[in-house]
Amino acid sequence: MNAPLVVATSIDWAAVRADFPLLTRLVHGKPLVYLDSANTGQKPASVIETVDDFYRRHNANVSRAVHALGSEATESYEAARGKLARHLNVRSDDLVLCSGTTFAINLVAYSWALPRLQPGDAILLTRMEHHANIVPWQLIAERTGAKIKVAEITPDGTLDLDALYAAMTSDVKVFGVAHVSNVLGTINPVREICREARRRGIVTVVDGSQALPHMAVDIPSIGCDFYAFTGHKMCGPTGTGALWARKEHLAVMPPFLGGGEMIKEVRFDGTVFNDPPHRFEAGTPNIAGHIGLGAAVDYLDALGMANVAAREAELLAHLLEEMRQIDGLRIIGTAKDKAAVVSFLVEGAHAHDLATLLDLEGVAVRSGHHCAHPLMQFFGVAATCRASLAFYNTHAEIEAFVAALLKVRRLLG
Ligand code: PLP
């Protein structure tokens, strides 16, 4: 993990876990061992109650009604934007709330890149990107005549920085990079990479989906142009997230979607658009969801992201140690800087069979390509199993998972 120096001893992690109601349930008659937080995180009661309270007591549309409920909804919605902004050390006005990373990257692609790119330009992406940071760029490349270039990785799942900098040639106009890989767990040195890209005049788009759940992120210190993320992996509701962008980009970007909320005045002979961030938030947003995301940020801030990182580093070390007992185990992604995400295969067993049998033991892991086909192609596999941890997991769960894996391994021969 991102080198937490002090292991948090002052936090009662059992009490923290008790904040997550779902973690007490049984699956197939066994206690649930939830190791799929990279897919979506579980929610603390405070988030669930905040969403519930919104619908029970405050439900109204934002920015439209002057009545009391409308004002309350708008205030809470904008307060959530403020909480996120403080969490990331950015200005609220530079934070576009949206349905998550997929929307956020499409917004950059269609609103920033589409009008700018032309034949002869290149879009640079890394081998370890999620499809959400590949496919929108392919669509833009098709429409503009720009081409896609790929920055390769080394066999341990680290970005090859020499190759990356060599690939930052003068035709590259935009570079997309995951802060943390959802498959490998690799934590990319985004600060250094973005500095190098900016020195060459390349605009940087960082996909922070897998970073925000695990570590403190200070966007200005990264020095990127755009930072996209999703709320549901960081204890928030699904359908939430944001795009942070440098003010100078937002100021010149045309709207991506048209509709209500994103205008100042509409006439049939022309429309005056609203200022950012509202210019990019057409229609009724996910009000309750974002207010819930604000509660998730409160929750994480109270825990302290340094404590979260320290806890997860301790759990990851234990997981990797325990997994050494498995014969024929192949871990995909062994970078030195690694978040608590472990992709693996067991010789002779298909990833889906492993995940299905583990599920019968109450253990939830993901199997598949993890929306990262190019990465699977690099490693020459169709699918992997992935165990991903969060601070609410326990050492006992890690042992239960490995015991279940040993049992499943025996069953599969
Ligand atoms: N980028 C990464 C690295 C991810 O892990 C994910 C989700 O798994 C996404 C993007 C897409 O996020 P969403 O589906 O919330 O838009």
Side-chain angles (χ1 to χ4, degrees):
M1 292 283 324
N2 233 3
L5 297 177
V6 185
V7 173
T9 48
S10 55
I11 292 186
D12 178 351
W13 291 105
V16 169
R17 181 179 170 84
D19 290 336
F20 291 78
L22 184 141
L23 296 177
T24 58
R25 68 163 283 183
L26 300 180
V27 169
H28 304 304
K30 310 258 170 66
L32 168 68
V33 175
Y34 187 76
L35 301 183
D36 198 18
S37 293
N39 205 354
T40 196
Q42 295 305 341
K43 322 300 175 202
S46 60
V47 169
I48 299 167
E49 283 157 14
T50 297
V51 173
D52 182 78
D53 182 62
F54 175 78
Y55 283 125
R56 282 180 195 279
R57 302 187 53 240
H58 308 281
N59 181 43
N61 211 330
V62 289
S63 311
R64 292 179 195 193
V66 293
H67 56 68
L69 294 186
S71 311
E72 286 167 20
T74 305
E75 255 169 49
S76 303
Y77 184 72
E78 290 304 326
R81 191 194 308 271
K83 288 174 188 182
L84 266 177
R86 277 191 297 283
H87 188 72
L88 301 167
N89 192 24
V90 296
R91 284 172 7 119
S92 296
D93 284 353
D94 302 337
L95 212 47
V96 178
L97 300 184
C98 61
S99 60
T101 303
T102 303
F103 187 98
I105 294 176
N106 275 277
L107 170 56
V108 183
Y110 283 91
S111 181
W112 182 86
L114 184 59
R116 282 174 181 73
L117 299 191
Q118 48 192 17
D121 289 342
I123 299 163
L124 180 61
L125 303 172
T126 85
R127 167 68 65 178
M128 67 175 87
E129 297 313 304
H130 185 282
H131 295 164
N133 206 15
I134 300 176
V135 182
W137 297 114
Q138 287 176 327
L139 295 173
I140 295 302
E142 242 170 56
R143 289 176 61 169
T144 60
K147 63 172 194 285
I148 305 277
K149 281 176 81 172
V150 180
E152 286 298 348
I153 58 173
T154 57
D156 69 349
T158 305
L159 257 185
D160 181 338
L161 291 184
D162 291 335
L164 172 64
Y165 299 147
M168 289 183 176
T169 44
S170 59
D171 54 341
V172 175
K173 297 292 179 283
V174 56
F175 169 53
V177 58
H179 192 163
V180 173
S181 159
N182 63 312
V183 180
L184 309 166
T186 308
I187 302 172
N188 287 317
V190 283
R191 188 194 287 218
E192 176 189 334
I193 295 172
C194 290
R195 189 181 58 231
E196 289 301 318
R198 278 181 74 75
R199 270 190 343 112
R200 294 162 170 83
I202 299 170
V203 164
T204 48
V205 183
V206 179
D207 173 355
S209 313
Q210 297 289 345
L212 288 189
H214 299 297
M215 61 185 71
V217 171
D218 179 276
I219 292 179
S221 79
I222 295 173
C224 53
D225 289 277
F226 296 98
Y227 195 95
F229 63 94
T230 253
H232 67 94
K233 297 182 200 284
M234 53 184 288
C235 298
T238 52
T240 64
L243 173 72
W244 172 84
R246 283 181 188 268
K247 193 173 152 201
E248 58 267 31
H249 292 317
L250 286 181
V252 297
M253 280 163 56
F256 174 37
L257 297 177
E261 299 298 331
M262 48 75 73
I263 48 86
K264 280 184 178 158
E265 189 185 2
V266 177
R267 291 172 180 273
F268 277 115
D269 58 358
T271 288
V272 181
F273 301 125
N274 210 337
D275 297 324
H278 304 288
R279 186 192 300 159
F280 305 103
E281 296 179 2
T284 301
N286 183 352
I287 305 167
H290 279 100
I291 294 171
L293 179 56
V297 168
D298 285 342
Y299 185 85
L300 292 173
D301 285 347
L303 268 184
M305 290 312 293
N307 292 325
V308 165
R311 167 72 174 172
E312 291 183 4
E314 182 190 299
L315 291 170
L316 175 63
H318 186 196
L319 175 62
L320 292 173
E321 183 56 35
E322 288 287 317
M323 286 179 84
R324 289 167 58 157
Q325 300 172 50
I326 318 284
D327 284 340
L329 180 78
R330 176 181 174 198
I331 291 184
I332 293 184
T334 50
K336 194 164 58 61
D337 270 339
K338 185 174 158 75
V341 173
V342 180
S343 281
F344 64 94
L345 285 169
V346 177
E347 206 177 0
H350 194 282
H352 290 308
D353 294 341
L354 281 176
T356 305
L357 290 172
L358 283 169
D359 180 57
L360 295 176
E361 301 297 316
V363 178
V365 295
R366 182 160 176 205
S367 62
H369 53 69
H370 314 292
C371 298
H373 276 154
L375 197 53
M376 299 293 119
Q377 288 148 15
F378 178 86
F379 286 104
V381 297
T384 72
C385 272
R386 180 185 68 187
S388 53
L389 302 169
F391 57 85
Y392 44 67
N393 287 122
T394 65
H395 290 284
E397 282 183 306
I398 287 170
E399 283 158 22
F401 159 60
V402 174
L405 193 51
L406 283 167
K407 180 174 168 189
V408 164
R409 175 92 182 84
R410 279 195 300 274
L411 280 177
L412 290 171

